[in-house]
Amino acid sequence: MTSLLTMTILGSVAGCGASSAEMTTEVSEVSGSATSLVDYEAPQQIPGVMVDQVGYSLGSEKAVVFRGEDLPKTFGVYELESGKKVFSGEILKSVYNEELDEYDSLGYFTDLKEEGNYFVSTDVVGESYSFTIEENVFKDVFDKACKKYYINRCGIALSENYAGDNTHSACHTQPAHLQEDPSTEIDVTGGWHMDESAGRDTALGSNIAENLLLAFEMNPTAFTDEVGIPESGNGIPDILDEVKYEVDWLLKMQDSRTGGEYAAALTDPVRGGEAINTPVIVTPVSMEATISFASMMARFSYTYQQYDAEFATTCLKAADRAYSCYLNNQKALDNTAAFKAAAQLYRATGAEAYNEVLNAYFQSDDFLELFATDDNVFIGGVTYLSINHAVDVEECRILMKALMKKSEKIASRASKSTYLVTDLGNKDNFDKMLRDMMCLTITDHIIYNYEYTTIIEDHAHFLMGRNPDAINYVTTDTERTYQEAGKAGIAVDPRSDSMLIFMLSVLEK
């Protein structure tokens, strides 16, 4: 009697990428008296040569990370299709990375400025995944990140022409019911789905919209009117059309009696069924949602003024009502979101009541600490620097000094990293890294700094594959993506996507 043991191993030698073929090994063994069949798939080996799998822009700095202590002195860049070597570079001395407990080194191929598809290879370590070099390598990634919000739209049918595989019929078009009073119906169609349950959150939606509006203000030429949504070609940048779609919904979520903002429109779990067809319940007014709404709507009002002055005024009035509602229930100093809202409203109106709230914060002993650590105070402070009404010149000087100090610390952390980034601590949560890049993007807008632009680009490279796990966390069309690795994609989460757009906007040519 015989026994057959067949082992199929799918994998590759250390460091192999697209240019290396998968190897299949069969092992046959004859023994015993029973017949069995075992299939085994080995884990995918991570290359020791990390590149941005999306690629590099022609004129940008191009770096590759090598993992290992005893490395060769040189590396080569090869054409993907022909295998021809087109560039030879030096591998720098390895440095110990305490965070990762490994030795890493860098190599640069900045002088390679020929468009094409390539991979990096060196002795001992092996090959990288493939990548592209082209004039504006991030354009497609940027446009797709912007279009994610169209894909998340609620209340309308998404056609294949615009949504591709994400097409669906109009959802959640029936009147919703108030959670506190189920007999009351309310029209809350529209807005963006925020999760797999098709929930729509007003505070989160306001914060995302505010990120997008600030990104537009920092780099307006990066945003086109041709992303490929129904409003494309209407003379308004598509990102503002997208924000307006959310704004229209947020206005429906404002309580007409108090001016407060309902917290969320959620699919009713009691009813069951597919989330896209499930009835909707509206949760009670939330002060967090109300003050977030006030802040964003004020910013939207002065951004959108040039496109539709009447609608912009409607939004500003809604912001003022929400701000008043908040102050009727809480003190301005109880929540730093009130500082940000006051800054937006003062910028939009010049009304002294808002300036008084700003001055109260400026006089607090911990204001500079809050500016360095609190997102609301940081964005509010940056907004103050952009106000055309009367401002305190000395406070502006203090804010600029604090902004430069914060940016310099971020740049210093990145320069000390073997991966050229500020934070390697949590591989599955890039919020801190993305917030750091928002800060550098803002600083880069106020005082252009080539070093900061390069650091921002290095973080884009990190997120798209030049990281310890060689995972592209942004797109799904390269060799090793977040889907294949069982990780969460950055652009899949609406909030992270807004910060990604913020970061990439400065890199758009």
Side-chain angles (χ1 to χ4, degrees):
M1 303 290 289
T2 62
S3 169
L4 176 65
L5 174 64
T6 302
M7 181 178 290
T8 302
I9 303 177
L10 297 177
S12 54
V13 295
C16 77
S19 51
S20 299
E22 290 185 338
M23 299 195 309
T24 301
T25 303
E26 291 192 355
V27 180
S28 297
E29 179 183 333
V30 179
S31 65
S33 58
T35 300
S36 63
L37 181 64
V38 178
D39 289 328
Y40 170 71
E41 184 172 316
Q44 184 175 10
Q45 288 186 302
I46 299 173
V49 184
M50 276 66 73
V51 296
D52 179 339
Q53 294 174 49
V54 173
Y56 303 82
S57 294
L58 277 179
S60 69
E61 182 176 274
K62 306 174 187 71
V64 52
V65 175
F66 299 93
R67 180 184 285 127
E69 184 174 4
D70 297 316
L71 297 170
K73 294 182 181 291
T74 62
F75 69 94
V77 181
Y78 297 80
E79 288 181 344
L80 181 62
E81 186 173 348
S82 69
K84 177 185 176 182
K85 186 176 183 178
V86 295
F87 183 89
S88 182
E90 177 187 0
I91 298 178
L92 304 180
K93 183 180 179 180
S94 291
V95 176
Y96 179 64
N97 188 319
E98 188 172 347
E99 283 184 275
L100 301 174
D101 189 25
E102 67 180 35
Y103 282 88
D104 301 312
S105 182
L106 288 166
Y108 290 89
F109 54 104
T110 304
D111 291 339
L112 178 56
K113 298 179 180 179
E114 188 75 25
E115 290 192 339
N117 298 314
Y118 303 93
F119 66 93
V120 172
S121 181
T122 186
D123 294 339
V124 181
V125 186
E127 299 174 2
S128 73
Y129 289 118
S130 62
F131 58 90
T132 298
I133 294 178
E134 60 182 76
E135 180 63 34
N136 187 1
V137 76
F138 297 126
K139 178 171 176 50
D140 186 55
V141 177
F142 179 72
D143 286 346
K144 286 181 177 177
C146 291
K147 195 171 180 177
K148 282 285 186 180
Y149 296 98
Y150 171 73
I151 303 301
N152 289 338
R153 284 189 187 185
C154 180
I156 63 169
L158 302 187
S159 69
E160 185 177 356
N161 187 37
Y162 295 111
D165 295 338
N166 296 291
T167 181
H168 64 71
S169 58
C171 58
H172 306 127
T173 58
Q174 299 299 315
H177 296 267
L178 295 181
Q179 189 177 57
E180 291 180 308
D181 180 11
S183 65
T184 300
E185 291 187 341
I186 179 174
D187 173 20
V188 293
T189 54
W192 300 320
H193 294 148
M194 293 296 176
D195 51 39
E196 293 180 354
S197 299
R200 289 165 287 162
D201 184 286
T202 52
L204 180 57
S206 293
N207 290 333
I208 290 170
E210 195 162 13
N211 284 345
L212 297 176
L213 290 169
L214 183 54
F216 176 77
E217 181 178 350
M218 297 292 104
N219 296 287
T221 58
F223 298 91
T224 71
D225 188 25
E226 51 189 33
V227 171
I229 61 175
E231 296 87 351
S232 293
N234 66 355
I236 301 173
D238 286 344
I239 199 67
L240 296 187
D241 287 322
E242 203 56 72
V243 170
K244 184 180 181 298
Y245 192 84
E246 179 75 357
V247 164
D248 287 338
W249 173 72
L250 289 168
L251 286 170
K252 294 179 181 180
M253 292 287 285
Q254 185 173 30
D255 179 22
S256 59
R257 184 176 61 85
T258 66
E261 186 77 357
Y262 293 114
L266 305 176
T267 54
D268 189 347
V270 176
R271 304 295 182 90
E274 294 184 5
I276 202 166
N277 297 316
T278 305
V280 173
I281 55 174
V282 175
T283 60
V285 166
S286 154
M287 287 302 103
E288 178 188 2
T290 299
I291 197 64
S292 297
F293 171 83
S295 178
M296 188 280 296
M297 293 296 275
R299 178 178 285 279
F300 181 79
S301 72
Y302 57 74
T303 303
Y304 207 70
Q305 186 75 26
Q306 61 180 307
Y307 302 105
D308 187 337
E310 183 178 354
F311 184 71
T313 300
T314 296
C315 292
L316 182 57
K317 289 178 179 178
D320 181 68
R321 286 198 69 217
Y323 187 82
S324 296
C325 173
Y326 177 84
L327 291 185
N328 287 336
N329 289 273
Q330 291 185 214
K331 295 179 181 178
L333 294 177
D334 288 345
N335 186 340
T336 57
F339 174 78
K340 182 177 69 170
Q344 304 290 15
L345 282 158
Y346 185 55
R347 183 179 180 186
T349 67
E352 184 59 28
Y354 303 123
N355 195 29
E356 290 174 0
V357 172
L358 299 176
N359 288 329
Y361 270 90
F362 290 147
Q363 292 165 16
S364 62
D365 294 335
D366 61 346
F367 177 77
L368 288 180
E369 180 182 347
L370 288 172
F371 182 84
T373 59
D374 186 284
D375 289 345
N376 291 322
V377 174
F378 175 71
I379 296 300
V382 168
T383 300
Y384 190 79
L385 292 172
S386 305
I387 292 173
N388 292 325
H389 306 292
V391 294
D392 187 319
V393 176
E394 178 62 16
E395 287 298 342
C396 288
R397 187 192 68 78
I398 292 171
L399 284 168
M400 273 302 304
K401 185 177 179 180
L403 176 61
M404 294 305 301
K405 181 179 179 180
K406 182 172 182 174
S407 297
E408 287 164 7
K409 284 185 176 180
I410 290 171
S412 177
R413 290 203 309 272
S415 69
K416 296 174 183 176
S417 166
T418 55
Y419 284 84
L420 306 176
V421 295
T422 61
D423 179 49
L424 292 171
N426 189 340
K427 298 178 184 178
D428 296 322
N429 187 337
F430 300 105
D431 274 6
K432 184 179 184 302
M433 183 182 292
L434 290 168
R435 287 199 303 273
D436 286 344
M437 292 308 99
M438 284 182 67
C439 177
L440 286 194
T441 298
I442 291 168
T443 308
D444 195 54
H445 169 75
I446 297 173
I447 304 174
Y448 174 72
N449 186 315
Y450 176 77
E451 178 193 2
Y452 290 173
T453 304
T454 301
I455 292 171
I456 293 166
E457 193 160 8
D458 281 330
H459 283 73
H461 292 318
F462 180 90
L463 295 173
M464 298 181 206
R466 201 176 69 193
N467 55 65
D469 293 317
I471 294 172
N472 175 1
Y473 287 98
V474 178
T475 68
T476 59
D477 50 5
T478 62
E479 293 176 74
R480 179 168 162 81
T481 72
Y482 63 88
Q483 287 182 333
E484 294 154 348
K487 301 287 187 178
I490 291 173
V492 175
D493 175 71
R495 182 174 177 274
S496 296
D497 189 44
S498 70
M499 292 191 286
L500 175 69
I501 289 169
F502 205 113
M503 181 180 79
L504 293 179
S505 67
V506 77
L507 305 178
E508 280 298 285
K509 303 295 186 291

